[in-house]
Amino acid sequence: MKATQRTVRLDLAEPLRISRSTMAARDAVWLTVEHDGLRGHGEAVTSVYYGLDAGTLERLLAAVATGFRRFRDPESALDALRAGELAGEDTPPAVTAAVESALLDLAGKRAGSPVHRLLGAATAPVAATARTIGITSPVRAAAEARCLTASGFAVIKVKAGAPDPEEDVERVRVIRDAAPRARLLLDPNGAWTTAQADALLPRFAELGVEAVEQPLAPGDPEALGVLAARSPLPVIADEDAVSLEDARRLAGRVHGVNVKLAKCGGVHAALRIAEAIDGSGTALMLGCLTASSLGLAPAVHLADRARWTDLDGHLLLAHDPWAGIGGTDGFVRASGLAGLGVRRSPGEEAA
């Protein structure tokens, strides 16, 4: 098998402000694996939070790719990856997820089967995805909410964690007025203290917020579990739920865990987390980083397994260089095409 890489810039349509940062662009590294005339693709994106820049991703992906020559086909390489024999234990989950994506895409194309069928689903998953509104002015937030619901979005995720919590309350209030039938999720990205969460969560519950992600700073999952037990809103762990061990520790303690493939290590790791929390009272949320359709596609093939779906990262881009998972009407869809079912966007060079 032959592997190649390409690094590209992904610009956002507009800067996205969350409690800890504002992002206007990020780099993506595409890994392509070729075997017998077919190619599979995967994507890893840079992240300041996870300490991954483009150079680091390029180096780590190349290091894993050197091991491909030991395997006769992508299927055996996939088995080795999942057994921990292809990528080392210290390989970042985002790198493992991108490698798995490329191998899954290639394996699906070799089998003439979409990835969701390789994973045991008979029908192509379709899910209503949340669409994110960042920390912005009430006027702009209301306008965005009206535009999103007019386009078909039934779930809106509102970023919180402004220096003045009253700004968050007002933002949610105007979004609720502008989109009275929308399901609202709230995400402070760990910005609140326990005292702030206790004071704010009842107010957001009164405004009809459905659930809150990671209200407390990560690093104390015990405190998050204690808060969840008394919260008037379901609490979903995100930054505190990275690994399978984290999910097991939180199962039954919080109402949901946000699984991002770049955070946990890919599709196989996500399925193990889903199995670990099944029946515990803790539901699965599928989330993402801002990335192209290529980066989000593997998660879309799992979308029918989640209670909450937040796969809008490609919709935040000024231009998505890949296509094939939809989303502009509020729904992401896995196609019946072989592999991941994504292709280069019109006008892009052939993949």
Side-chain angles (χ1 to χ4, degrees):
M1 292 187 294
K2 175 185 175 183
T4 56
Q5 292 183 30
R6 180 182 175 188
T7 301
V8 300
R9 188 73 163 173
L10 301 176
D11 292 309
L12 275 67
E14 60 182 51
L16 176 66
R17 180 187 169 198
I18 65 174
S19 61
R20 60 174 177 255
S21 64
T22 300
M23 181 177 62
R26 72 187 339 154
D27 292 326
V29 182
W30 296 339
L31 175 69
T32 298
V33 183
E34 185 171 354
H35 181 69
D36 288 344
L38 295 173
R39 287 182 287 181
H41 306 283
E43 177 180 272
V45 294
T46 55
S47 169
V48 173
Y49 184 78
Y50 292 113
L52 296 172
D53 58 24
T56 300
L57 290 174
E58 291 165 352
R59 175 176 55 82
L60 293 172
L61 286 167
V64 176
T66 59
F68 288 160
R69 61 177 176 267
R70 307 199 317 262
F71 304 98
R72 65 183 183 277
D73 52 41
E75 294 81 9
S76 57
L78 262 176
D79 289 341
L81 182 71
R82 291 168 176 174
E85 299 167 0
L86 179 55
E89 290 184 1
D90 58 347
T91 301
V95 172
T96 304
V99 173
E100 184 195 45
S101 171
L103 293 173
L104 270 174
D105 191 28
L106 183 53
K109 289 172 180 175
R110 279 167 49 85
S113 174
V115 164
H116 60 267
R117 287 188 190 156
L118 298 183
L119 302 175
T123 58
V126 178
T129 181
R131 182 67 157 78
T132 300
I133 295 178
I135 297 176
T136 188
S137 70
V139 171
R140 189 171 184 85
E144 288 186 35
R146 283 190 291 269
C147 181
L148 290 174
T149 54
S151 298
F153 285 88
V155 188
I156 295 175
K157 179 162 131 175
V158 187
K159 289 294 187 178
D164 181 359
E166 292 302 323
E167 292 182 21
D168 296 332
V169 175
E170 181 61 17
R171 187 179 316 107
V172 171
R173 190 188 317 280
V174 299
I175 288 173
R176 169 53 71 211
D177 290 343
R181 291 183 293 277
R183 296 166 55 198
L184 299 185
L185 304 176
L186 190 68
D187 185 9
N189 288 106
W192 295 340
T193 64
T194 299
Q196 286 175 319
D198 283 332
L200 290 168
L201 289 177
R203 299 177 66 185
F204 288 117
E206 291 176 359
L207 291 170
V209 171
E210 180 176 318
V212 59
E213 286 183 62
Q214 196 68 42
L216 305 181
D220 191 352
E222 175 66 23
L224 192 67
V226 171
L227 176 68
R230 63 175 182 265
S231 172
L233 292 176
V235 172
I236 302 169
D238 182 359
E239 287 88 345
D240 267 328
V242 176
S243 66
L244 175 62
E245 291 71 26
D246 292 336
R248 285 173 172 160
R249 187 181 304 114
L250 288 164
R253 302 290 310 283
V254 295
H255 303 89
V257 291
N258 187 343
V259 172
K260 300 172 183 173
L261 302 192
K263 181 175 69 170
C264 72
V267 167
H268 182 63
L271 290 173
R272 293 185 67 194
I273 290 174
E275 181 180 6
I277 65 175
D278 186 40
S280 70
T282 298
L284 180 69
M285 178 179 189
L286 275 176
C288 65
L289 301 182
T290 302
S292 76
S293 286
L294 171 61
L296 270 72
V300 174
H301 286 271
L302 301 175
D304 56 345
R305 306 168 192 248
R307 175 177 173 183
W308 298 283
T309 302
D310 180 24
L311 298 178
D312 69 336
H314 61 307
L315 302 176
L316 304 178
L317 301 179
H319 172 67
D320 187 351
W322 295 82
I325 60 174
T328 57
D329 63 348
F331 292 84
V332 288
R333 301 169 176 84
S335 78
L337 298 176
L340 292 174
V342 294
R343 61 193 181 280
R344 293 301 295 276
S345 296
E348 296 281 339
E349 62 179 292

